Amino acid sequence: MCEVVVLPVARKPLWFRFFDSMVPAGFPSPADDHQALRLDLNRLLLPHPDSSYLVRVMGESMSGGESGIRDGALLAVDCHLQAQHDDVVIAVVEGGFTVKRLLRRGDTWFLVPDNPSYPEVRIGGEFDMIDVWGVVTHVVTETRRGRLATRVRVS
Amino acid sequence: MYALVDCNNFYVSCERAFQPQLEGKPVVVLSNNDGCLISRSAEAKALGLKMGEPYFQVKPLVQQHAVRMFSSNYALYGDMSGRVMHYLSSVVPEVEIYSIDECFLDLHGMEPYLGPLAEQAAGWRHEVRRRTHIPVCIGIAPTKTLAKLANRLAKKSPTMEGVCYLDTDGRRQWALAQTPVEDVWGIGGQYAHKLYAQGIRTAAQLAGQSEAWARKQLGGVVGARLVRELQGTPCQGLQPSEDGTLSRKSIACTRTFGQPLSAFADVLGAVAHFASKAAEKLRRQGSAANVLTVFISKNRFGTEPPPHTRSVVLTLPTGTSDTIELLRHARAALKRIWEPGAVYRKAGVVLDGLETAGQQQLLLFEPNEQAERRAKLMADLDKVNQRFGAGKVKFATAQLPKGEYTAPWAGQHQWQTPAYTTCWEDLLCIRA
């Protein structure tokens, strides 16, 4: 005589969560109190949504210098900043845009290229700040050909 | 006190912001399909170019004076408008966005905090110019109607430097006397005609009328309010924008075709395209529509007798923002007004009876789960199109015919500038 024991069989699979990490038992994560928001590059590059613009650069007149603006670079421009001596600015010269360094020598303002093989422009006595379209705050260049090169036309 | 901030020649100013060589030159912007003049620079106005004039009529004048012409670039104008409004909503607590290029600011009780309002306004004007390169004019007055009127005067007289503040009774009287009655906000051509016949030519004369007269002559309570507002008693409050955008009470998407169309499939494609666009807008503002209007128009200037436009209005079984539903109804509507053999120039889809989405009456015969799945589908569709570009995923009815690169209904925009601020490929390019 043998006793038959009917075992209940689970027909549906039972799923257990698997945590691929240490579970600190009895001790809460000390990082919880310091949980911070992810870093947002927009806040750095485009701090003022109404006056920040992205533009791209064509040409070599600013390359090789301190600003590091190469042909094809992407610039973050803030138009609400007051342009000062030594700012890199987007200026309007004879109806066209140009990017140059704004320098004051004595009483005269100049638009100076970082690349010495290009000429500088002396701005007339009645220099109107409206001629400065915006102040360049950041330069974005790719060190490896990537999304910027494919999305932004680089000539 | 209310302020009305209005951008000067807004579309032209947007073009100039990215093309400084246009400064001081006559510039015009054409409507969709390059049809009519919809924005003119001061120089273009001085040449005698009128608002709304068809391009083909002014072509000789335009060519003779080398007027620069642009197709409308709404991606750019929308973004620039957003920048102007965003800045203004950061300086005052409440803003009513009245249209793409103007908004009311509520300045009640603000003077002690802000300081003299005229100086403040001059500052705002300067800041908007710096941030967006768009010139604006500001009118400040005790009522919205007077603020509108003040704004018009600020635009007209350069000596005011863009700000007109009607703070005293004397100035108010002066401003009213300066304003022809047809330029008062709310007085249309019909009423202007009627008022002239009664010898009322200026806003001052209109403001001198009694409330009873206004009720009788100017369409009841609306007219009475208008006259009271001119007299300096506010009757209309601000209708602030909750989210900084213009929330619409009806959504329309209508276009003239790039070429005359006579095939049902082509016109259906256009209607489906417009309905999809309208549905997208509807979802963006979180609304659902209860009424759908579809219309198609033949050539108004042709030899055929009127009616040139036929339309049908459908009341939908339940408020919806579902493109699939709207397309189904739009197709049925189009079939009802379609005349075989006719040649069509224009079509449009209008959504009315808007309500907040998610509050609709449930349908007796449609399971709720399906509605939820469809809502999810629409949300995903919008996400895909946001990420990969507008119109990347479309419904088959709005799809282009095989082998064609442009839709047969697509309008012309041969002078369109790049979308400098909203598209990576179109960014402003600057010579170094």
Side-chain angles (χ1 to χ4, degrees):
Chain A
M1 278 298 207
C2 53
E3 205 179 329
V4 176
V5 181
V6 180
L7 296 167
V9 176
R11 281 171 192 270
K12 282 189 189 163
L14 282 171
W15 296 103
F16 291 98
R17 276 172 202 267
F18 172 69
F19 292 93
D20 188 16
S21 65
M22 305 265 275
V23 179
F27 182 66
S29 162
D32 273 356
D33 287 347
H34 302 275
Q35 193 100 47
L37 289 174
R38 287 270 177 88
L39 298 175
D40 181 2
L41 262 184
N42 285 332
R43 294 181 60 137
L44 184 74
L45 297 181
L46 308 168
H48 304 108
D50 46 35
S51 62
S52 301
Y53 299 82
L54 289 173
V55 305
R56 61 202 165 88
V57 173
M58 255 175 70
E60 301 284 351
S61 78
M62 290 301 279
S63 56
E66 206 184 315
S67 65
I69 299 177
R70 300 204 302 229
D71 183 24
L74 187 70
L75 306 182
V77 181
D78 199 333
C79 293
H80 111 285
L81 295 177
Q82 190 77 53
Q84 293 167 355
H85 168 72
D86 212 23
D87 273 341
V88 174
V89 298
I90 308 291
V92 178
V93 178
E94 287 164 6
F97 286 124
T98 183
V99 52
K100 293 284 179 295
R101 192 176 289 279
L102 181 69
L103 291 181
R104 193 167 90 179
R105 297 178 188 137
D107 283 340
T108 320
W109 291 87
F110 293 86
L111 289 172
V112 183
D114 275 8
N115 183 345
S117 54
Y118 284 78
E120 54 183 51
V121 182
R122 182 174 176 273
I123 302 172
E126 71 287 14
F127 171 45
D128 185 356
M129 278 295 178
I130 278 288
D131 289 339
V132 170
W133 191 82
V135 176
V136 176
T137 55
H138 299 85
V139 184
V140 182
T141 47
E142 271 174 351
T143 47
R144 183 190 210 185
R145 229 182 114 76
R147 219 162 167 187
L148 194 60
T150 55
R151 302 292 300 266
V152 180
R153 278 174 312 195
V154 180
S155 39
Chain B
M1 286 289 167
Y2 291 99
L4 177 72
V5 184
D6 191 3
C7 304
N8 303 355
N9 321 323
F10 181 58
Y11 299 165
V12 165
S13 298
C14 289
E15 299 291 350
R16 278 182 171 165
F18 296 92
Q19 297 183 78
Q21 72 274 17
L22 298 175
E23 212 58 57
K25 306 233 163 70
V27 182
V28 296
V29 173
L30 301 173
S31 61
N32 264 314
N33 211 15
D34 296 341
C36 307
L37 309 187
I38 48 168
S39 183
R40 305 155 298 150
S41 71
E43 299 79 7
K45 286 175 191 170
L47 288 174
L49 292 166
K50 298 270 178 308
M51 191 70 176
E53 265 184 315
Y55 165 61
F56 72 88
Q57 277 181 12
V58 296
K59 204 169 164 185
L61 191 64
V62 161
Q63 283 173 345
Q64 187 195 334
H65 294 279
V67 176
R68 294 295 312 272
M69 257 178 325
F70 295 97
S71 307
S72 34
N73 180 352
Y74 287 109
L76 177 66
Y77 309 154
D79 180 66
M80 296 307 281
S81 166
R83 287 169 184 263
V84 174
M85 304 305 174
H86 183 272
Y87 168 69
L88 291 171
S89 58
S90 75
V91 296
V92 290
E94 277 197 320
V95 170
E96 176 188 342
I97 298 173
Y98 184 67
S99 71
I100 191 166
D101 61 352
E102 55 187 328
C103 69
F104 287 102
L105 315 180
D106 191 347
L107 302 177
H108 284 105
M110 296 299 291
E111 200 148 10
Y113 300 98
L114 293 175
L117 292 181
E119 270 172 45
Q120 280 302 315
W124 298 333
R125 191 169 168 265
H126 184 72
E127 274 300 299
V128 170
R129 180 87 202 238
R130 257 208 359 211
R131 286 161 191 256
T132 65
H133 308 98
I134 301 220
V136 297
C137 281
I138 304 180
I140 310 173
T143 69
K144 283 168 87 176
T145 308
L146 284 171
K148 264 268 195 198
L149 196 139
N151 189 289
R152 181 183 161 277
L153 291 172
K155 274 208 176 123
K156 291 253 162 202
S157 49
T159 50
M160 289 184 169
E161 295 190 329
V163 178
C164 176
Y165 183 16
L166 304 182
D167 50 348
T168 61
D169 252 333
R171 276 188 208 198
R172 218 167 301 151
Q173 288 309 327
W174 167 83
L176 287 168
Q178 297 292 305
T179 307
V181 76
E182 67 268 25
D183 288 330
V184 172
W185 191 35
I187 298 289
Q190 296 247 329
Y191 276 130
H193 209 70
K194 198 168 156 188
L195 291 170
Y196 265 73
Q198 300 190 39
I200 297 172
R201 286 155 199 281
T202 66
Q205 285 172 305
L206 186 59
Q209 303 300 321
S210 71
E211 197 178 323
W213 178 92
R215 261 177 203 278
K216 201 164 154 227
Q217 302 290 330
L218 291 176
V221 70
V222 180
R225 274 193 201 144
L226 197 158
V227 169
R228 297 271 288 163
E229 285 242 318
L230 282 181
Q231 291 164 351
T233 313
C235 300
Q236 314 186 46
L238 209 69
Q239 292 162 353
S241 160
E242 295 288 334
D243 54 356
T245 59
L246 191 62
S247 189
R248 294 168 184 82
K249 295 192 181 66
S250 96
I251 290 177
C253 189
T254 78
R255 297 273 189 287
T256 309
F257 305 141
Q259 49 179 305
L261 298 177
S262 57
F264 182 77
D266 288 346
V267 178
L268 177 63
V271 167
H273 177 69
F274 301 156
S276 313
K277 282 252 178 207
E280 236 179 82
K281 270 193 215 169
L282 196 63
R283 291 194 291 270
R284 210 176 309 147
Q285 70 172 58
S287 303
N290 282 293
V291 178
L292 167 76
T293 308
V294 174
F295 73 83
I296 44 178
S297 306
K298 298 180 224 169
N299 188 2
R300 270 189 302 144
F301 306 107
T303 48
E304 256 187 278
H308 298 118
T309 298
R310 294 187 72 187
S311 67
V312 60
V313 181
L314 295 182
T315 306
L316 305 175
T318 177
T320 184
S321 62
D322 183 341
T323 308
I324 303 171
E325 276 300 293
L326 290 167
L327 284 183
R328 195 161 65 84
H329 292 296
R331 176 201 286 266
L334 181 63
K335 272 193 177 154
R336 273 166 54 179
I337 48 177
W338 180 258
E339 286 172 64
V343 178
Y344 292 100
R345 299 300 303 258
K346 186 179 180 179
V349 170
V350 186
L351 300 174
D352 283 297
L354 304 193
E355 58 188 65
T356 309
Q359 296 179 352
Q360 285 74 41
Q361 180 90 45
L362 296 180
L363 278 187
L364 191 56
F365 300 108
E366 194 187 344
N368 195 29
E369 291 148 47
Q370 191 187 338
E372 274 172 23
R373 286 216 318 265
R374 290 274 278 272
K376 171 93 170 62
L377 178 64
M378 289 301 123
D380 289 345
L381 174 71
D382 291 344
K383 256 193 237 158
V384 168
N385 281 334
Q386 248 168 42
R387 181 159 164 200
F388 296 102
K392 266 284 148 42
V393 178
K394 282 190 252 190
F395 287 85
T397 35
Q399 203 59 268
L400 301 187
K402 259 214 173 99
E404 286 190 39
Y405 292 103
T406 51
W409 64 84
Q412 297 173 359
H413 37 80
Q414 43 180 326
W415 301 292
Q416 195 172 64
T417 46
Y420 298 109
T421 54
T422 51
C423 176
W424 285 106
E425 284 80 2
D426 283 358
L427 289 181
L428 179 64
C429 188
I430 288 178
R431 289 220 153 264

